Amino acid sequence: MADTTAPSTTAPARRKAVGLTRTPTWAWALPPVLVLALGFLYPLALVVRQSFTPESLEDGGASLTPYTEVFASTVFREALTTTVRLAVGATVGCLVLGFVLALVIAFVPFPGGKAVARFIDVFLSFPSFLITLALLFIYGSVGMANGAWTGVTGAAEGPFHFLTTPWGVLLAEITYFTPFVMRPLLAAFSQLDTAQLEVASSLGAGPVRIVRQVILPEALPALAAGGSLVLVLCLNEFGIVLFTGAKGVTTLPMLVYSKAVLESDYPAACVVAVVNIVLSVGLYSLYRVVSRRAGA
């Protein structure tokens, strides 16, 4: 009885499976491609088209005039230089600080070490403006540090005003993006064979030599992956620069905001946006190559 009823009960499922296999592959790929095209590619295409359409052309013709005007402007060149300097400086700071902190968490036993490592994962979900707001509460013009100084000395104002300078933006970016370097480093350190450390220590190697000759070579791929990711994120950071209110600090995202919202110069804003996109895609491609080599 069981042999005769089994084919009849499984026949609908088999017919359904056959129907699925007969469905063309493009039919399954079409819905997500349409969503991606409408939600991302089409707006991006509009930005690119607008960057070639100066306001003087009423017929909507294409021209390189917006690019030549933007590239020739001093504001754009200064914004590009500022963006690169801040991104590179923040990346270097995150690499150094992240490596030191990851070393302490991974190899120096202390109470709460595991909790700190878990907190790093939670920290990655924080918005960037929240970290900047916290720094403003501490080092702002009316923050706790300046308030404590004026309360003790009786001065009219405190000495801490660096948050409104490029150094303040740099501090905020290093504070926020360091965990993005620590996370791959901690993963790499967890796979490190502790026997190598024990052998090196038994042979008389000091902590500095062990770090330089044993730990650092194993951490280089993770450092490269984390550093390239931080470089991409810093290049596109907008909230930190905006919330610090740094005077004279104009990055490419801030320039897009200024051109589009404050000046209503949409072709120029789109040109800057296209430049930012090209830089970001190039750096992200580098990040993906480094990540694959690092096994991330």
Side-chain angles (χ1 to χ4, degrees), residues 84-167:
V84 173
R85 285 180 177 176
L86 286 175
V88 172
T91 301
V92 173
C94 290
L95 288 175
V96 175
L97 182 60
F99 182 71
V100 173
L101 294 179
L103 275 179
V104 173
I105 294 175
F107 300 108
V108 180
F110 63 93
K114 293 183 178 180
V116 174
R118 294 192 187 98
F119 175 74
I120 293 175
D121 295 333
V122 179
F123 189 91
L124 298 178
S125 64
F126 289 176
S128 60
F129 72 84
L130 184 63
I131 305 303
T132 309
L133 188 61
L135 291 176
L136 287 174
F137 277 124
I138 299 175
Y139 299 109
S141 300
V142 293
M144 292 186 295
N146 283 320
W149 178 274
T150 55
V152 172
T153 63
E157 60 180 12
F160 304 104
H161 302 288
F162 61 89
L163 279 183
T164 57
T165 67
W167 293 105

Side-chain angles (χ1 to χ4, degrees), residues 79 83 235-246 249-263 272 276:
T83 302
L235 190 70
N236 297 288
E237 181 55 40
F238 175 76
I240 288 178
V241 183
L242 181 65
F243 268 76
T244 55
V249 179
T250 302
T251 59
L252 291 180
M254 286 293 296
L255 187 59
V256 173
Y257 171 80
S258 176
K259 291 293 184 181
V261 177
L262 302 181
E263 302 178 18
V272 180
N276 207 356

Side-chain angles (χ1 to χ4, degrees), residues 8-25:
S8 61
T9 55
T10 59
R14 291 179 178 177
R15 287 195 296 269
K16 184 177 180 180
V18 171
L20 290 175
T21 56
R22 291 179 178 176
T23 303
T25 305

Side-chain angles (χ1 to χ4, degrees), residues 50 76-77 121 129 143 208 222 235 274:
Q50 185 66 38
F76 170 77
R77 292 196 297 268
D121 295 333
F129 72 84
V208 176
L235 190 70
V274 169

Side-chain angles (χ1 to χ4, degrees), residues 180-192:
F180 288 83
V181 174
M182 296 176 62
R183 194 65 197 90
L185 279 176
L186 290 175
F189 290 160
S190 65
Q191 299 177 0
L192 183 64

